[in-house]
Amino acid sequence: MVFVQVCYAGMNITSKVALESGMNPLVLVAYRQIFATMAIGPFSYIMEWKTMPKITFPILFQIFLCSLTGAVANQVFYFLGLKYSSAIIASALSNILPAVTFLLAVIFRQESAEIRKKSGIAKIVGTILCVGGAMMLSFYQGKVIGLGEPNMNWSYLQKVRESTTSNTVNSNPLLGPIFIILSTVGWAAWFIIQAGMSEKFPAPYTSTTLMCFMATVECGAIGFVLEHKISAWSLRNDTRLVASLYAGIMGSAIAFFLTSWSIQRKGPLYVSVFSPLLLIIVAILSWALLKEKIYIGTVLGSTFIIAGLYAVLWGKGKEMERIQEIMTIAEDAIKASKANHDKINEDLELQIQMKPYVQYCSNGCNHIDEEAI
């Protein structure tokens, strides 16, 4: 999971550089889906071709909805937000995902707030902290924290910025965070849809391959409508090629594979605990390589978001422990009931076997007739 966060951090840095070079976010998302489909496809064939359930039209429609929310809306808005803000703010705001997922789950009645229990209170307080941190990142910067100038000098990035000064978009402290929040809403909606689909179609690699393929078509169609120039789709530029390959292979295929592997062994809560690590790695790399400034508002907002994240995860963990206890009690009751049922069956069986003997002896016989018994 540490390596997964490193993969995501690298994707944030390479994508930010590609967007600064003038690459259209829709083009970057489309190429990310293409390379992700090519990378995940072999895994789905190797690991699920024998056990893959039948693909029906309702399943395809749910995968289509997943591609719209988890790939198109999530990634397009994220890269738009990354284009208009810093990689640090984008990484910080992505940590509000558990809180947004909790809100959507309550709205769609897939989860209850449970305000009378500690777990419910923790989730509500965590959600408020996440929302407060997101508002602070959006509307308050404060003074620059004096960390000094980094000793590292990325000459390649300087050349990219010098050659594309006319295409570089100035950061927008309000528009960028709004796009990131919309990205998180799309991601949370994907979680809601994916939870229902995974029960009917338990083939994560195949569903992800189909989702990435559909997203490729969707982003490609939208991209060609909004970006007519063929030069905008060219990958002759090293920066754009590396960003597209990295986002598709490292940011999607490998990150998804390792995350799924970790969830199977440790559970989803264990995986979620590592999310704030991404913010720390991105903050260091952005300061050292991209020369991004770190503001007091960024630090305070990120602190609120991380505190809210762990509050929501703590509440969810307590809720899962309670559910596990109830399931254990239910399983014990079922086992006891089954044992009692088996004993009753044995007694009835014995009575049935002894009935002819009892009837025979009631007639005054003094010996046992084996044939009658």
Side-chain angles (χ1 to χ4, degrees):
M1 284 312 303
V2 173
F3 181 71
V4 168
Q5 302 308 318
V6 172
C7 289
Y8 283 141
M11 185 189 71
N12 274 272
I13 300 301
T14 55
S15 299
K16 179 65 176 176
V17 175
L19 294 171
E20 285 190 358
S21 71
M23 190 175 191
N24 192 310
L26 277 171
V27 175
L28 179 56
V29 174
Y31 278 123
R32 178 182 181 179
Q33 302 309 316
I34 291 173
F35 292 127
T37 304
M38 295 170 62
I40 300 175
F43 285 106
S44 64
Y45 179 78
I46 294 171
M47 304 185 72
E48 295 177 346
W49 72 280
K50 289 183 178 180
T51 59
M52 185 180 68
K54 184 179 179 181
I55 302 176
T56 61
F57 180 78
I59 294 297
L60 279 177
F61 181 71
Q62 283 186 307
I63 295 175
F64 170 72
L65 292 178
C66 285
S67 68
L68 286 178
T69 55
V72 179
N74 170 30
Q75 296 180 22
V76 169
F77 281 130
Y78 186 83
F79 284 131
L80 281 172
L82 187 63
K83 182 177 182 179
Y84 288 105
S85 64
S86 67
I88 299 174
I89 292 177
S91 301
L93 285 173
S94 64
N95 285 291
I96 69 173
L97 175 63
V100 176
T101 306
F102 169 67
L103 282 176
L104 290 181
V106 171
I107 292 172
F108 290 103
R109 296 183 179 181
Q110 291 191 356
E111 195 168 330
S112 59
E114 296 182 334
I115 58 176
R116 295 182 180 180
K117 296 178 181 178
K118 290 182 179 180
S119 59
I121 295 173
K123 289 190 288 185
I124 293 172
V125 172
T127 301
I128 294 172
L129 286 173
C130 285
V131 173
M135 297 291 287
M136 183 171 289
L137 284 174
S138 302
F139 299 107
Y140 176 72
Q141 281 189 332
K143 297 181 179 179
V144 178
I145 298 177
L147 298 177
E149 290 294 326
N151 295 325
M152 298 179 64
N153 188 14
W154 195 1
S155 58
Y156 179 76
L157 177 61
Q158 289 182 347
K159 292 180 181 178
V160 170
R161 286 177 169 174
E162 289 173 0
S163 62
T164 57
T165 50
S166 59
N167 294 327
T168 302
V169 179
N170 294 325
S171 62
N172 190 316
L174 179 61
L175 191 60
I178 288 176
F179 279 135
I180 299 295
I181 293 172
L182 290 175
S183 165
T184 309
V185 173
W187 200 359
W190 174 79
F191 271 111
I192 302 296
I193 300 170
Q194 180 72 17
M197 189 194 69
S198 59
E199 296 179 358
K200 302 175 183 177
F201 190 75
Y205 297 101
T206 302
S207 62
T208 302
T209 302
L210 292 173
M211 183 187 73
C212 292
F213 176 75
M214 291 182 182
T216 300
V217 178
E218 292 157 10
C219 290
I222 298 172
F224 275 117
V225 171
L226 299 178
E227 184 60 80
H228 302 288
K229 297 179 180 179
I230 300 299
S231 59
W233 293 83
S234 175
L235 293 180
R236 291 182 179 180
N237 185 304
D238 295 340
T239 304
R240 301 183 183 187
L241 176 61
V242 170
S244 301
L245 283 170
Y246 192 101
I249 298 174
M250 304 297 290
S252 291
I254 292 179
F256 170 78
F257 177 80
L258 292 178
T259 302
S260 301
W261 184 86
S262 300
I263 289 174
Q264 289 176 356
R265 282 153 182 79
K266 292 289 187 177
L269 285 179
Y270 178 86
V271 169
S272 301
V273 167
F274 287 85
S275 297
L277 183 61
L278 171 63
L279 174 59
I280 298 172
I281 298 173
V282 169
I284 295 173
L285 293 178
S286 297
W287 172 77
L289 299 177
L290 302 182
K291 305 293 193 295
E292 289 187 356
K293 297 178 181 179
I294 300 177
Y295 297 90
I296 293 177
T298 305
V299 175
L300 292 176
S302 301
T303 303
F304 284 148
I305 289 175
I306 292 174
L309 166 70
Y310 282 124
V312 173
L313 292 178
W314 183 87
K316 194 66 180 176
K318 290 295 181 183
E319 186 180 86
M320 292 179 68
E321 287 178 5
R322 189 171 68 252
I323 293 172
Q324 188 63 39
E325 289 176 1
I326 295 172
M327 291 178 64
T328 302
I329 294 171
E331 289 175 358
D332 292 340
I334 291 171
K335 289 179 182 178
S337 176
K338 185 178 179 182
N340 189 35
H341 184 267
D342 292 341
K343 189 175 184 305
I344 293 172
N345 285 342
E346 289 176 2
D347 293 343
L348 289 173
E349 212 173 299
L350 184 60
Q351 292 178 17
I352 293 170
Q353 290 175 355
M354 292 299 294
K355 186 176 180 181
Y357 173 71
V358 173
Q359 290 178 346
Y360 185 75
C361 291
S362 64
N363 295 328
C365 300
N366 296 322
H367 67 282
I368 298 175
D369 189 335
E370 295 181 0
E371 184 179 351
I373 293 173

